[in-house]
């Protein structure tokens, strides 16, 4: 072991292992190089590095260790394990990751409430017949914005050759309607809902179907003509049409030898724009993960013209939210969802982040239903509701917010997000040149920058008043309700400082400076 230690590691290892730690600390960045020699390389040789950090000035955290897999030419890999801890001001306090992203490595953290410490454990299982092993641990304790620490960790991984792939779908940059009707047995209902979706402003349609149904349809040609006619009808409406095929871990294990053939047949037989394949399995199911990886290595051969079998084949952990095939969005998770969306936008500034599936009950008030869309406003909306049964008021609000998102997509879908609170993200904003869009989720006062000439403020809180600090001058003030109806409009001279505006729940204020 190295003579000098900064972090006081406890090494738990197999008797045949010799472990060398080389630690450096430069301006708050700890780098720990781990070298292992295994004198008798056998299966099951394990190494655990454990250390402790005091929990001081830490108010929030973000764990980025989901099990979406990626692949390269040498080995099957996951996304890097990443633990990021920060205070309420969004300042980084402790970010830790490991250079090895293979299936044999895991990074854990446990909170000791009695001692108020965070206990970390890096666990490695040395592959069979691997006599030597190396990895590097990076710990960032600098007093910088934690988003900056995340971006630098990503760059560090990329420098190591670990492509920090997220499998965000680059083509999913437009509002998407996920059909509620069963494909293909309820084609008529799907078409009725899709027609309404087109009128409401959706541009992409997803139909979901189980793999077993697809297999039966490929063997039975009775429905071929009706399915082709149906797909043609959707394309006539100038909508992108995706078929999402899902199967369980057990089905994948049993059918994996035939999946490539069946997906090729789908591309040849039906003219969907894209076909997605979704494998549902637990995050610790190594066998399934390995099989999905092998499938992905050959998947690019199935591209056919503009039709694409989606490379983003995911192993889905049912216990956590995934932005590629998201679970339903519950309002109790809204602060957590905003945190995920914001952090993913920092890590992938040039990619679209897909929202969780948005749904609400038919008896929900228009103001509360609008909050489902407002809380995921900085992600591409994905809605799955039986549109035929929507009330007129709900249809209005859905049309308004989809149109609102599209009109502001140049800000919402690309630019980095600023937030007033690291964990709760009470105020989130984006700005481009002199234009800004701000969403407020509590009673926090809003401060406009001096060069801000056009500002749109969305009220995502329960409050019906907004306090805004702005520069003096003549401002055009327009206030809309959650349905997009103009309820107030005036030009008014306002002095520099704080001003109070009345804005209904889920409403919007538009401020335009006129004396330019």
């Amino acid at each position: 072991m190295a003579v000098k230690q900064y972090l006081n590691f406890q090494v738990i290892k197999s008797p045949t292992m010799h472990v060398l730690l080389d630690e450096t600390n430069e301006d708050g960045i700890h780098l720990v190089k781990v070298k292992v020699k295994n004198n008798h390389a056998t299966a099951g040789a394990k190494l655990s590095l454990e250390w402790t950090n005091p929990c001081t000035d830490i108010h929030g955290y973000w764990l980025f260790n989901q099990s979406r897999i990626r692949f390269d030419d040498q080995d099957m890999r996951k996304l890097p394990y990443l633990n990021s801890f920060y205070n309420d001001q969004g300042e980084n306090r402790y970010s830790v990751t490991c250079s090895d992203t293979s299936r044999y490595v895991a990074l854990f953290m446990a909170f000791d409430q009695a001692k108020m410490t965070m206990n970390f454990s890096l666990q490695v299982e040395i592959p069979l017949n691997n006599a030597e092993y190396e990895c590097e641990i990076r710990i960032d304790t600098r007093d910088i914005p934690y988003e900056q620490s995340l971006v630098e960790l990503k760059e560090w991984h990329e420098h190591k050759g670990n492509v920090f792939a997220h499998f965000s779908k680059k083509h999913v940059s437009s509002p998407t309607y996920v059909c509620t009707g069963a494909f293909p047995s309820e084609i008529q209902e799907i078409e009725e809902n899709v027609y309404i979706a087109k009128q409401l402003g959706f541009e992409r349609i997803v139909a979901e179907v189980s793999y077993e149904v697809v297999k039966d349809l490929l063997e039975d040609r009775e429905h071929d003509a009706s399915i082709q006619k149906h797909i043609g009808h959707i394309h006539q409406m100038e909508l992108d049409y995706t078929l999402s095929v899902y199967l369980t871990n057990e089905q994948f294990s049993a059918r994996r030898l035939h999946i490539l053939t069946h997906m090729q047949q789908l591309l040849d037989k039906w003219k969907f724009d894209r076909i997605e394949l979704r494998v549902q399995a637990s995050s610790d199911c190594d066998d399934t993960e390995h099989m999905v990886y092998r499938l992905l290595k050959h998947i690019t051969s199935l591209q056919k013209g503009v039709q694409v079998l989606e490379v983003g084949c995911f192993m889905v952990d049912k216990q956590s939210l995934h932005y590629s095939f998201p679970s339903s969005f519950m309002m109790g998770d809204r602060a957590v969802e905003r945190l995920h969306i914001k952090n993913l936008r920092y890590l992938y500034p040039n990619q679209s982040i897909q929202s969780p599936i948005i749904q609400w009950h038919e008896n929900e008030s228009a103001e509360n239903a609008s909050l489902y869309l407002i809380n995921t406003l900085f992600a591409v909306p994905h809605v799955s509701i039986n549109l035929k049964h929507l009330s007129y008021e709900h249809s209005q609000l859905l049309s308004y917010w989809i149109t609102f998102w599209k009109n502001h997509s140049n800000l919402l879908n690309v630019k980095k997000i600023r937030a007033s609170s690291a964990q709760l993200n009470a105020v989130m904003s984006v700005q481009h040149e002199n234009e800004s869009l701000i969403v407020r989720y509590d009673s926090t006062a809003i401060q406009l920058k001096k060069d801000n000439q056009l500002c749109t403020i969305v009220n995502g809180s329960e409050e019906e008043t907004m306090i805004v600090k702005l520069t003096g001058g003549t401002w055009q003030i327009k206030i809309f309700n959650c349905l997009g109806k103009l309820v107030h409009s005036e030009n008014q001279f306002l002095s520099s400082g704080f001003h109070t505006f009345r804005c209904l729940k889920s409403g919007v204020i538009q401020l335009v400076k006129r004396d330019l």
Side-chain angles (χ1 to χ4, degrees):
M1 201 174 290
V3 175
K4 187 173 182 179
Q5 283 198 71
Y6 295 97
L7 298 172
N8 193 23
F9 282 101
Q10 180 182 3
V11 180
I12 303 173
K13 61 185 181 66
S14 301
T16 59
M17 288 182 179
H18 176 70
V19 180
L20 178 67
L21 303 182
D22 182 10
E23 301 180 51
T24 60
N25 177 14
E26 183 175 350
D27 298 327
I29 297 178
H30 296 261
L31 293 177
V32 185
K33 294 182 179 180
V34 182
K35 295 183 179 181
V36 179
K37 289 188 177 181
N38 192 16
N39 297 328
H40 300 282
T42 59
K46 296 182 179 180
L47 167 68
S48 178
L49 298 179
E50 300 181 358
W51 72 98
T52 298
N53 188 72
C55 187
T56 56
D57 195 27
I58 292 176
H59 307 121
Y61 66 93
W62 191 58
L63 306 181
F64 189 72
N65 55 1
Q66 300 167 357
S67 293
R68 298 188 198 96
I69 65 170
R70 73 173 183 84
F71 59 95
D72 55 28
D73 294 332
Q74 298 177 354
D75 192 14
M76 180 184 66
R77 306 222 166 220
K78 299 180 183 179
L79 290 175
Y81 285 93
L82 172 60
N83 295 263
S84 179
F85 301 86
Y86 45 85
N87 65 14
D88 193 49
Q89 301 303 314
E91 297 169 334
N92 173 64
R93 285 296 169 259
Y94 204 82
S95 297
V96 56
T97 191
C98 178
S99 63
D100 188 352
T101 63
S102 73
R103 58 189 296 210
Y104 304 103
V105 176
L107 178 62
F108 299 102
M109 191 282 294
F111 177 62
D112 188 332
Q113 189 171 4
K115 298 180 180 179
M116 291 298 293
T117 59
M118 300 182 298
N119 301 327
F120 292 91
S121 175
L122 177 73
Q123 299 181 8
V124 181
E125 182 175 353
I126 308 299
L128 180 64
N129 296 326
N130 193 344
E132 295 186 357
Y133 171 82
E134 293 185 10
C135 72
E136 190 170 9
I137 302 171
R138 186 182 192 273
I139 300 173
D140 188 349
T141 61
R142 293 174 298 166
D143 189 10
I144 60 174
Y146 87 96
E147 296 95 344
Q148 178 184 340
S149 177
L150 287 176
V151 172
E152 291 187 16
L153 283 173
K154 173 189 172 186
E155 294 172 348
W156 182 77
H157 273 286
E158 291 174 341
H159 181 73
K160 294 287 185 183
N162 296 331
V163 179
F164 211 94
H166 178 255
F167 281 146
S168 294
K169 298 175 189 154
K170 295 183 180 180
H171 64 273
V172 183
S173 57
S174 55
T176 299
Y177 175 67
V178 181
C179 300
T180 58
F183 180 89
S185 59
E186 298 176 344
I187 279 182
Q188 182 176 350
E189 179 174 340
I190 290 176
E191 291 182 356
E192 292 173 355
N193 277 304
V194 169
Y195 176 79
I196 299 172
K198 171 69 174 179
Q199 309 308 312
L200 295 178
F202 290 95
E203 299 176 358
R204 178 175 177 262
I205 306 299
V206 175
E208 298 182 325
V209 62
S210 72
Y211 178 73
E212 291 301 317
V213 170
V214 167
K215 185 170 64 69
D216 293 340
L217 288 172
L218 289 172
E219 297 172 355
D220 181 5
R221 299 187 177 183
E222 179 182 351
H223 297 88
D224 282 3
S226 61
I227 292 176
Q228 291 287 20
K229 182 179 178 180
H230 163 68
I231 297 172
H233 182 60
I234 303 301
H235 283 155
Q236 285 177 359
M237 289 188 272
E238 298 181 342
L239 294 169
D240 183 285
Y241 201 8
T242 296
L243 183 67
S244 180
V245 182
Y246 61 88
L247 65 162
T248 65
N249 171 41
E250 293 76 15
Q251 290 171 330
F252 183 83
S253 299
R255 300 286 182 181
R256 64 185 186 277
L257 298 178
H258 306 285
I259 287 178
L260 287 175
T261 301
H262 290 158
M263 294 302 104
Q264 180 69 68
Q265 290 174 351
L266 280 180
L267 290 175
D268 292 339
K269 191 173 187 178
W270 298 334
K271 304 304 179 183
F272 285 98
D273 295 289
R274 291 176 182 85
I275 295 174
E276 299 172 347
L277 183 63
R278 184 165 48 146
V279 181
Q280 295 179 336
S282 60
S283 60
D284 58 352
C285 188
D286 287 344
D287 290 340
T288 299
E289 191 171 344
H290 188 69
M291 290 185 289
V292 173
Y293 159 68
R294 294 300 178 193
L295 174 66
L296 285 173
K297 289 194 69 173
H298 303 283
I299 215 165
T300 54
S301 65
L302 294 181
Q303 295 185 1
K304 187 178 179 64
V306 295
Q307 296 172 298
V308 177
L309 174 60
E310 181 59 52
V311 176
C313 268
F314 299 97
M315 194 176 73
V316 180
D317 182 351
K318 298 178 182 179
Q319 302 302 317
S320 60
L321 299 176
H322 292 265
Y323 288 84
S324 298
F325 299 99
S327 58
S328 297
F329 175 58
M330 303 302 294
M331 290 303 290
D333 300 325
R334 53 190 177 183
V336 176
E337 289 302 331
R338 296 198 297 268
L339 174 66
H340 279 302
I341 291 170
K342 184 193 70 173
N343 289 345
L344 291 174
R345 288 278 297 274
Y346 267 94
L347 289 173
Y348 309 98
N350 298 317
Q351 295 189 28
S352 301
I353 303 300
Q354 177 176 315
S355 82
I357 292 292
I358 299 171
Q359 300 169 314
W360 63 77
H361 192 273
E362 60 183 5
N363 294 332
E364 190 71 88
S365 69
E367 293 81 6
N368 285 338
S370 296
L371 287 178
Y372 286 86
L373 293 148
I374 293 172
N375 275 279
T376 57
L377 199 58
F378 291 94
V380 182
H382 277 61
V383 178
S384 183
I385 299 175
N386 193 326
L387 300 178
K388 292 196 309 177
H389 298 156
L390 272 188
S391 65
Y392 176 70
E393 188 175 55
H394 282 186
S395 296
Q396 279 187 304
L397 78 86
L398 188 53
S399 175
Y400 170 62
W401 286 110
I402 293 299
T403 302
F404 181 93
W405 189 93
K406 291 163 69 174
N407 289 342
H408 297 86
S409 62
N410 63 316
L411 290 170
L412 290 170
N413 200 29
V414 179
K415 306 300 177 185
K416 288 185 178 181
I417 303 171
R418 297 181 182 275
S420 62
S421 169
Q423 186 71 359
L424 298 178
N425 300 291
V427 177
M428 300 174 68
S429 63
V430 284
Q431 182 168 350
H432 179 60
E433 297 180 347
N434 295 328
E435 179 184 1
S436 66
L437 187 146
I438 301 172
V439 186
R440 189 195 72 167
Y441 296 103
D442 66 5
S443 58
T444 302
I446 296 169
Q447 300 189 44
L448 303 189
K449 293 186 175 181
K450 292 182 178 181
D451 61 346
N452 208 166
Q453 309 297 335
L454 170 60
C455 180
T456 302
I457 307 174
V458 180
N459 184 12
S461 73
E462 301 290 333
E463 305 289 334
E464 293 193 353
T465 58
M466 284 192 182
I467 300 175
V468 183
K469 184 180 181 181
L470 38 74
T471 57
T474 300
W475 290 83
Q476 181 189 66
I477 306 166
K478 290 185 177 182
I479 302 177
F480 304 84
N481 66 11
C482 67
L483 304 179
K485 180 181 177 181
L486 181 65
V487 296
H488 180 80
S489 178
E490 67 171 325
N491 290 330
Q492 184 178 356
F493 179 83
L494 300 172
S495 60
S496 295
F498 289 96
H499 295 269
T500 301
F501 300 91
R502 188 173 187 275
C503 181
L504 296 173
K505 177 180 176 180
S506 302
V508 175
I509 298 178
Q510 186 182 77
L511 300 173
V512 182
K513 197 167 188 181
R514 287 305 186 189
D515 52 345
L516 302 179

